[in-house]
């Protein structure tokens, strides 16, 4: 125990003396200067009392030394003590320790570093992140290079502010959209091309030298409304905290995916901030399907994962999805609690029903009965629908538990903000 205390004390002393550490100790005074001086910065937002932060400290130090040796300029590893630098922690919405954020050209990426925590893994990540973000192609046969939705810029040369803005935008957004450039005489032009198409479907008509405007255009036009979930990005998607409206489909089934994308665009744009629209390879994500009582033979399967429970879209996918209002109602029923309620107690009564209750009070009375033995069971910790005892002949059901919540950041890698008092 004494030996461990001495080792930790030496680490603290080393961190306090910048000359002894390859990791930059960041604060309000040097943060912006560090961003300006480097193309790529990885920052460890940590808490001294967090055991995972303590475990990462020597690994991150060794990684910084290796990276500095191979990349003496343009790349930096830094750390922020979230208790001493609360302003920086709040600025970047840090809610778990350690959080490893990645910055390109001074801008924080949506994705965090979630790979293996080893010096070699950090070094390999930097090698990948510093590869050229723009692929130069010829105009002839351009569509052969566009395997997915891409940003294509036409420039007379690689000199000038327009190409510089395009290059800077590509470093920020290359994970969302491939960037390609065509060098040829003529005016500067930037557009978004669909897969295997020679002509753009969205043309940028702003100032090509305006980096911020270009990033905004690409973000709106290129990042898909329906995103694919993989095992590599699942932790990040779940951490966004929004319920999933998710289509499980065979990887070769483009028709079902296109129908889903079309209906989401048509009916659910207003729900973009409250639901994540996701599609998944139903062969790779077979476990969530099994959780729903489905298999690959049932694909495509559309469901909602609320991160508490999962619900299957009612009806036939190809026959019912395009019916006006059907998909929108499915999502609205999640928000209203109807999906959860009906799963437990069966379909809500309709106005046409002969025994439909006249009021909410009548509905509760029908549910709990009016005899002393059927009185409500007080339980303030339970959901409202669990606080009443159902009729004796009712078959109480519970919807399948969330499958994707298990892919969220876990307590075996992070300490969450607010847990300090529990330690």
């Amino acid at each position: 125990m004494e030996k461990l205390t001495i080792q930790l004390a030496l680490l603290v002393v080393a961190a306090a003396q910048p000359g002894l550490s390859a990791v930059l100790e960041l604060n309000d005074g040097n943060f912006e200067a560090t961003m300006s001086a480097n193309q790529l910065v990885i920052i460890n937002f940590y808490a001294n009392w967090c055991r995972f932060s303590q475990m990462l400290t020597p690994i991150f130090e060794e990684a910084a030394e290796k990276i500095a040796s191979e990349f003496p300029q343009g790349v930096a590893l830094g750390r922020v003590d979230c208790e001493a630098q609360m302003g920086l922690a709040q600025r970047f919405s840090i809610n778990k320790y350690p959080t490893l954020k990645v910055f390109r050209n001074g801008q924080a990426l949506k994705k965090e570093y979630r790979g293996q925590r080893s010096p070699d893994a950090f070094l390999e990540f930097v090698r990948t992140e510093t590869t050229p973000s723009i692929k130069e192609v010829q105009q002839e046969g351009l569509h052969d290079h566009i395997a997915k939705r891409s940003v294509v810029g036409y420039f007379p040369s690689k000199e000038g502010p327009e190409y510089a803005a395009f290059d800077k935008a590509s470093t920020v957004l290359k994970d969302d959209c491939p960037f390609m450039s065509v060098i040829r005489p003529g005016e500067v032009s930037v557009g978004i091309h669909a897969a295997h198409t020679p002509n753009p479907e969205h043309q940028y008509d702003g100032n090509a030298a305006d980096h911020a405007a270009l990033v905004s255009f690409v973000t709106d036009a290129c990042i898909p409304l329906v995103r694919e979930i993989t095992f590599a990005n699942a932790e990040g998607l779940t951490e966004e905290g929004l319920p999933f409206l998710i289509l499980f489909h065979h990887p070769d089934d483009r028709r079902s995916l296109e129908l889903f994308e079309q209906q989401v665009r048509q009916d659910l744009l207003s729900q973009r901030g409250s639901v994540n629209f996701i599609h998944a390879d139903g062969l790779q994500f077979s476990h969530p399907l099994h959780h729903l009582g489905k298999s690959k033979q049932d694909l495509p399967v559309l469901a909602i994962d609320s991160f508490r429970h999962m619900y299957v879209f009612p009806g036939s996918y190809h026959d019912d999805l395009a019916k006006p209002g059907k998909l929108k109602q499915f999502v609205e029923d999640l928000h209203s609690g109807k999906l959860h309620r009906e799963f437990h107690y069966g379909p809500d009564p309709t106005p046409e029903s002969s025994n439909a209750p006249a009021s909410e009070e009548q509905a509760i009375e029908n549910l709990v009965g009016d005899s002393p033995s059927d009185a409500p069971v007080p339980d303030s910790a339970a959901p409202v629908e669990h606080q009443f005892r159902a009729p004796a002949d009712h078959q109480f059901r519970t919807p399948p538990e969330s499958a994707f919540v298990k892919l969220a950041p876990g307590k075996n890698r992070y300490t969450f903000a607010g847990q300090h008092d529990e330690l």
Side-chain angles (χ1 to χ4, degrees):
M1 183 67 183
E2 183 179 351
K3 183 178 179 181
L4 177 61
T5 303
I6 294 173
Q7 289 176 334
L8 289 175
L10 290 174
L11 286 174
V12 172
V13 171
Q17 301 182 48
L20 299 180
S21 176
V23 179
L24 302 175
E25 194 72 40
L26 299 178
N27 52 51
D28 285 322
N30 64 4
F31 189 89
E32 296 303 334
T34 302
M35 292 294 115
S36 299
N38 295 280
Q39 178 185 353
L40 178 69
V41 182
I42 304 173
I43 299 181
N44 168 21
F45 288 86
Y46 71 97
N48 279 316
W49 49 263
C50 164
R51 67 187 181 96
F52 298 112
S53 296
Q54 294 165 4
M55 292 164 60
L56 179 61
T57 296
I59 296 171
F60 207 60
E61 186 70 45
E62 184 181 345
E65 293 172 357
K66 285 191 171 188
I67 290 167
S69 176
E70 187 167 327
F71 299 90
Q73 292 183 330
V75 179
L77 267 62
R79 60 187 169 207
V80 171
D81 182 340
C82 291
E83 293 196 321
Q85 304 295 329
M86 295 181 64
L88 287 175
Q90 292 173 1
R91 175 179 170 184
F92 295 105
S93 304
I94 305 303
N95 59 12
K96 64 184 186 306
Y97 313 111
T99 293
L100 294 161
K101 282 199 167 290
V102 183
F103 295 76
R104 291 201 199 113
N105 291 318
Q107 289 191 305
L109 304 188
K110 290 186 300 181
K111 73 171 187 178
E112 299 172 7
Y113 177 83
R114 301 178 187 273
Q116 183 183 1
R117 294 174 185 172
S118 72
D120 289 339
F122 281 116
L123 177 59
E124 189 57 38
F125 176 79
V126 169
R127 287 171 177 162
T128 300
E129 291 298 303
T130 52
T131 56
S133 53
I134 300 175
K135 180 180 181 180
E136 187 174 339
V137 297
Q138 300 297 317
Q139 186 165 4
E140 182 179 351
L142 170 65
H143 60 281
D144 293 330
H145 294 281
I146 305 176
K148 57 184 290 189
R149 184 181 295 262
S150 303
V151 188
V152 181
Y154 296 83
F155 304 91
S157 74
K158 293 184 180 180
E159 306 298 326
E162 294 86 0
Y163 190 89
F166 188 76
D167 185 31
K168 190 175 181 181
S170 72
T171 63
V172 175
L173 295 170
K174 69 176 185 178
D175 294 327
D176 298 303
C177 248
F179 278 68
M180 302 180 190
S181 67
V182 177
I183 307 301
R184 51 93 173 104
E187 295 183 355
V188 172
S189 174
V190 177
I192 307 294
H193 290 242
H196 306 297
T197 57
N199 299 314
E201 61 177 1
H202 299 286
Q203 190 71 45
Y204 177 60
D205 57 7
N207 179 1
D210 187 336
H211 163 256
L214 185 58
V215 167
S216 178
F217 165 76
V218 173
T219 299
D220 291 341
C222 190
I223 296 178
L225 182 61
V226 178
R227 294 179 287 175
E228 180 178 12
I229 189 170
T230 65
F231 291 114
N233 69 4
E235 185 178 272
L237 287 175
T238 54
E239 193 175 16
E240 292 179 11
L242 299 178
F244 286 177
L245 176 63
I246 182 166
L247 172 67
F248 300 92
H249 62 98
H250 191 282
D252 297 331
D253 182 9
R254 295 295 307 174
R255 175 172 168 260
S256 295
L257 177 56
E258 288 169 0
L259 175 60
F260 182 50
E261 292 172 336
Q262 175 184 327
Q263 292 306 125
V264 167
R265 190 170 293 107
Q266 180 176 306
D267 295 340
L268 296 178
L269 284 179
S270 63
Q271 297 280 352
R272 193 169 191 177
S274 58
V275 176
N276 264 333
F277 310 121
I278 305 292
H279 72 97
D281 181 332
L283 303 185
Q284 290 189 357
F285 285 88
S286 57
H287 176 70
L289 279 177
H290 178 73
H291 217 53
L292 291 166
K294 304 289 184 180
S295 69
K296 63 182 181 180
Q297 282 74 31
D298 298 305
L299 296 175
V301 174
L302 181 63
I304 285 176
D305 190 322
S306 71
F307 295 155
R308 288 185 61 202
H309 298 292
M310 298 184 74
Y311 309 93
V312 177
F313 176 73
S316 164
Y317 181 81
H318 286 290
D319 292 340
D320 295 327
L321 187 66
K323 290 181 178 178
K326 186 78 171 180
L327 183 59
K328 185 178 182 181
Q329 189 64 55
F330 183 47
V331 173
E332 289 179 347
D333 287 348
L334 168 72
H335 296 318
S336 70
K338 184 178 180 181
L339 289 182
H340 195 75
R341 186 172 63 251
E342 289 196 337
F343 201 101
H344 283 309
Y345 305 115
D348 282 353
T350 63
E352 293 78 15
S353 173
S354 59
N355 59 352
S359 65
E360 182 178 353
E361 291 76 9
Q362 182 64 51
I364 292 175
E365 184 177 335
N366 290 348
L367 177 64
V368 305
D370 56 5
S371 67
S373 62
D374 288 332
V377 179
D379 181 3
S380 59
V384 172
E385 64 268 24
H386 290 187
Q387 295 184 29
F388 299 98
R389 186 176 286 137
D393 61 349
H394 177 74
Q395 295 294 318
F396 189 86
R397 301 182 303 158
T398 300
E401 292 184 355
S402 168
F404 287 94
V405 73
K406 298 179 178 66
L407 300 180
K411 294 183 178 181
N412 61 337
R413 280 171 60 89
Y414 302 98
T415 304
F416 294 89
Q419 286 186 302
H420 189 195
D421 295 337
E422 301 172 14
L423 301 178

